[in-house]
Amino acid sequence: MMKCQKCNKTATFHITELTKGKPEELHLCEDHARQYLTTQSDEEPAVTPSLAGVLAHQLAVGQTAEELARLDQRSCPVCGITFYEFRNQGRLGCPYDYVCFMAELEPLIVNIHGETDHVGKISARYPEGTEHRTQLVRLRREMKEAIDEEDYELASKLRDEIRKIEEPPKKK
Amino acid sequence: MDLNQLVTTSGEWLRGSGPESDIVISSRVRLARNLAEFPFIGRAGQQDRTEIESILRDSIMQIQESGDLEYVNVNELKGIDRQFLVERQLISREHAESEGARGVAIARNEQISLMINEEDHLRIQVMHSGLDLISAWEQIDRIDSLLSDIVNFAYHPKFGFLTACPTNVGTGVRVSVMLHLPALVITRQIDKVFRSLQKISLAVRGLYGEGSQAMGDFYQISNQITLGKTEIDLVKQVGDIVPVLIDYERRARDFLVRESHENLHDKVARAYGILRTAQTISSEETMHLLSSVRMGVNLGLIDDLQIPLLNELFIHTQPAHLQKLRGIELDTADRNIERARYLRRHLNKNNGDESGKN
Ligand SMILES: [Zn+2]
Ligand SMILES: [Zn+2]
């Protein structure tokens, strides 16, 4: 069992804090976690909603270390980012993450915005604008991996698929 | 774009005109957008970044609005030129300090800038002098719509426009006004005002995005929430609070004039005196003193200075501007001497003598 960093109780809260871009792992008991999270919000009045703070709050609520570990390993099939990487960096990897991590992101989004549904400007080009084209993100990644592994046959197959999806080049 | 042409002017946001411009410096709207067929910047490789830059650059230069847009390759700029664009609020500090393929398209009048490969693939900014949020929104909305016809912005019917950070998702819009609030600072009411703004989901930052103690008493108020409200509601949310803050600031100024006129006049006159005679002066002290002088001019305590000149001094005494105006790179100590010299030259030439009128 992991001990709290501030006392000898069991650490039940595992918080990732972003300080100057460097992720820092904190393991705290319930009392110290609460103390930590409340002083945080007092010291730096949330200039923009502190994503790290919201993430920490959200993930701390009743989550066991094992559950967190399992969630952390999930990855996006399109860009390959794991949920752990997102928690650490506070930035998503690709547009498809909003779909594949939707269950995890929704409560986070409610925390930040108090809402989950967009009511503003509508994209004129949805759905072919996004759904179809996120495939390109995956194909490009797979092609790069194929090249890295010197599997040029696969790479050229992927290149053809990419060309099919891409629009004919616009004239300059 | 020849940055040296910009140096001698003061930029849109300090032009010093527009409605309520004694207190409201500028109105700004920003939009975050990403191309659907690329990963977000954090997972984009060099190849991706280069392609994103070239697609967005070509598209931006195609749209009608950009008759007078010029493209600056930020990756190839010298450090001092990147800093210069930050001081003018044409690019963000993060954009200046990051690495790899990136750039910015800037309108000649500096009202429009489009940053490519910032935290999102595209950050559009429209900035107007004074209190002018609605027309800034209308202008950015038009640019966004024109671009949407050419490129595929990442969008989801439930979450709206998709951004690298979930704090910007939905509209992707950040509406802000920059206010000059020296009297609220002097009367120590500023913290109270800001705490009440945060309760209604408005964020407060300093001039260049820094935290609590803002440079030169300039504060930016902006929306925190980007999802679940329409763009126009967000524009109104920020816009509606501005008259309230203007009223607070005016009342604080009235209070100072009424209750401690000598102290106020003394503070303003001393600030003016130091700026006109100092031999070496830091950027922070300059901002602080210029703020007092600016309020003094607005209250009629100084009558031989104009707001546009003061606004110009705010920006021309910033480190990168100072060095570009001088034409050489200077270390901190030399900058402080050059800054003092610049201030003396510009503040003493108006009335020809060294003794300020009172
Ligand atoms: Zn503890
Ligand atoms: Zn992804």
Side-chain angles (χ1 to χ4, degrees):
Chain A
M1 257 309 161
M2 200 177 267
K3 289 260 172 71
C4 169
Q5 288 170 308
K6 306 235 164 128
C7 69
N8 268 329
K9 285 191 225 154
T10 308
T12 46
F13 288 76
H14 309 276
I15 296 167
T16 306
E17 197 60 82
L18 278 175
T19 33
K20 303 213 168 81
K22 277 258 173 90
E24 188 194 348
E25 292 276 349
L26 295 167
H27 308 281
L28 302 168
C29 70
E30 189 170 354
D31 289 344
H32 280 112
R34 185 169 301 124
Q35 196 188 346
Y36 174 77
L37 292 171
T38 47
T39 49
Q40 274 281 301
S41 51
D42 280 356
E43 276 166 12
E44 322 166 12
V47 162
T48 50
S50 149
L51 181 67
V54 175
L55 268 173
H57 268 289
Q58 179 195 351
L59 294 172
V61 178
Q63 215 157 25
T64 67
E66 295 92 277
E67 278 168 344
L68 190 59
R70 212 174 312 128
L71 171 60
D72 274 348
Q73 278 169 17
R74 287 198 43 210
S75 67
C76 166
V78 171
C79 73
I81 194 173
T82 61
F83 199 73
Y84 176 77
E85 286 171 299
F86 163 62
R87 280 207 302 128
N88 267 341
Q89 297 152 7
R91 300 289 179 273
L92 292 160
C94 80
Y96 189 71
D97 297 357
Y98 282 94
V99 176
C100 74
F101 296 129
M102 192 186 282
E104 293 77 31
L105 284 176
E106 259 200 279
L108 175 73
I109 285 173
V110 172
N111 255 315
I112 299 169
H113 301 283
E115 301 277 348
T116 53
D117 291 289
H118 176 59
V119 295
K121 195 169 176 175
I122 291 166
S123 164
R125 292 172 73 118
Y126 192 82
E128 90 277 16
T130 302
E131 269 178 352
H132 182 55
R133 301 188 75 88
T134 42
Q135 287 186 52
L136 280 173
V137 181
R138 178 177 55 83
L139 291 169
R140 285 212 193 88
R141 181 171 66 95
E142 286 174 1
M143 185 177 80
K144 189 173 169 294
E145 283 165 5
I147 292 170
D148 289 346
E149 283 159 30
E150 302 187 354
D151 186 347
Y152 299 114
E153 200 180 329
L154 177 61
S156 82
K157 231 184 259 169
L158 289 163
R159 160 93 329 202
D160 292 345
E161 271 190 71
I162 291 169
R163 290 220 173 107
K164 247 184 279 168
I165 298 175
E166 277 176 344
E167 286 169 336
K170 286 183 271 313
K171 57 175 190 286
K172 301 277 145 73
Chain B
M1 173 171 252
D2 183 6
L3 297 182
N4 294 317
Q5 278 183 344
L6 298 180
V7 176
T8 52
T9 63
S10 64
E12 170 66 14
W13 63 278
L14 280 174
R15 195 154 49 84
S17 58
E20 314 279 7
S21 58
D22 58 331
I23 293 175
V24 188
I25 307 293
S26 63
S27 304
R28 174 165 72 172
V29 182
R30 268 191 189 171
L31 279 180
R33 294 289 185 260
N34 289 276
L35 295 177
E37 63 266 38
F38 288 93
F40 293 139
I41 292 298
R43 290 193 76 82
Q46 282 312 317
Q47 176 75 19
D48 290 325
R49 292 182 64 120
T50 307
E51 280 182 53
I52 294 165
E53 189 192 14
S54 109
I55 290 173
L56 284 174
R57 179 192 172 145
D58 288 351
S59 311
I60 289 167
M61 300 321 262
Q62 267 179 49
I63 60 172
Q64 262 191 343
E65 202 84 14
S66 43
D68 62 347
L69 283 182
E70 291 212 38
Y71 194 76
V72 179
N73 184 331
V74 174
N75 197 32
E76 285 174 1
L77 282 186
K78 284 195 298 181
I80 188 171
D81 288 325
R82 293 202 294 263
Q83 175 62 27
F84 172 77
L85 293 175
V86 173
E87 289 174 5
R88 280 185 107 75
Q89 306 216 317
L90 293 169
I91 66 174
S92 64
R93 181 153 284 156
E94 301 75 62
H95 197 238
E97 288 169 1
S98 76
E99 279 168 17
R102 65 196 191 286
V104 61
I106 301 170
R108 286 223 153 270
N109 64 9
E110 297 180 55
Q111 285 192 344
I112 308 168
S113 81
L114 301 102
M115 274 182 279
I116 298 175
N117 289 345
E118 208 243 19
E119 180 185 301
D120 293 294
H121 297 160
L122 181 66
R123 287 278 175 97
I124 315 172
Q125 164 180 299
V126 169
M127 187 156 52
H128 289 179
S129 203
L131 181 57
D132 197 21
L133 283 171
I134 301 279
S135 78
W137 158 250
E138 287 168 353
Q139 192 174 7
I140 206 167
D141 183 32
R142 213 156 48 233
I143 296 169
D144 175 56
S145 297
L146 289 170
L147 281 172
S148 310
D149 290 339
I150 312 176
V151 295
N152 295 285
F153 287 138
Y155 180 88
H156 185 275
K158 178 178 172 62
F159 294 126
F161 290 94
L162 304 177
T163 52
C165 185
T167 52
N168 300 314
V169 76
T171 56
V173 77
R174 200 69 67 188
V175 180
S176 64
V177 285
M178 181 145 51
L179 307 175
H180 187 222
L181 304 172
L184 286 176
V185 174
I186 295 173
T187 55
R188 299 180 195 283
Q189 299 175 79
I190 199 91
D191 288 338
K192 204 176 67 196
V193 171
F194 291 166
R195 273 197 300 276
S196 61
L197 289 181
Q198 278 160 2
K199 282 195 195 114
I200 55 168
S201 297
L202 291 173
V204 181
R205 302 158 182 256
L207 175 52
Y208 291 109
E210 70 274 18
S212 44
Q213 184 54 55
M215 283 215 292
D217 306 321
F218 290 112
Y219 292 91
Q220 292 182 64
I221 319 291
S222 58
N223 61 302
Q224 272 191 345
I225 287 166
T226 57
L227 182 77
K229 285 191 159 77
T230 64
E231 290 82 359
I232 207 75
D233 281 345
L234 292 169
V235 168
K236 282 192 186 131
Q237 192 199 4
V238 175
D240 285 351
I241 202 70
V242 174
V244 180
L245 294 173
I246 292 175
D247 186 49
Y248 284 161
E249 171 68 16
R250 290 211 204 286
R251 274 196 242 173
R253 289 181 186 190
D254 287 348
F255 172 84
L256 288 172
V257 169
R258 208 170 50 238
E259 302 295 326
S260 73
H261 189 269
E262 285 73 24
N263 287 336
L264 179 68
H265 201 161
D266 183 66
K267 185 180 164 70
V268 167
R270 280 170 190 269
Y272 195 18
I274 292 171
L275 289 169
R276 296 172 64 181
T277 54
Q279 300 297 306
T280 167
I281 190 165
S282 70
S283 178
E284 291 73 28
E285 187 180 6
T286 304
M287 296 282 280
H288 178 68
L289 298 173
L290 281 173
S291 174
S292 292
V293 170
R294 190 177 190 279
M295 177 173 63
V297 171
N298 281 328
L299 290 176
L301 299 173
I302 294 174
D303 56 13
D304 60 352
L305 268 182
Q306 304 297 319
I307 291 294
L309 170 67
L310 275 174
N311 286 351
E312 198 175 289
L313 291 177
F314 270 108
I315 194 155
H316 284 176
T317 55
Q318 299 288 317
H321 274 77
L322 202 63
Q323 295 173 76
K324 286 191 73 73
L325 283 163
R326 185 75 166 78
I328 47 170
E329 298 205 14
L330 301 163
D331 64 19
T332 309
D334 286 340
R335 279 206 301 272
N336 291 347
I337 293 169
E338 175 61 23
R339 183 177 294 112
R341 190 183 294 141
Y342 189 87
L343 287 164
R344 288 199 308 275
R345 194 163 68 236
H346 286 81
L347 290 174
N348 291 320
K349 77 179 172 194
N350 282 340
N351 41 6
D353 63 17
E354 290 279 322
S355 64
K357 278 197 293 175
N358 286 302

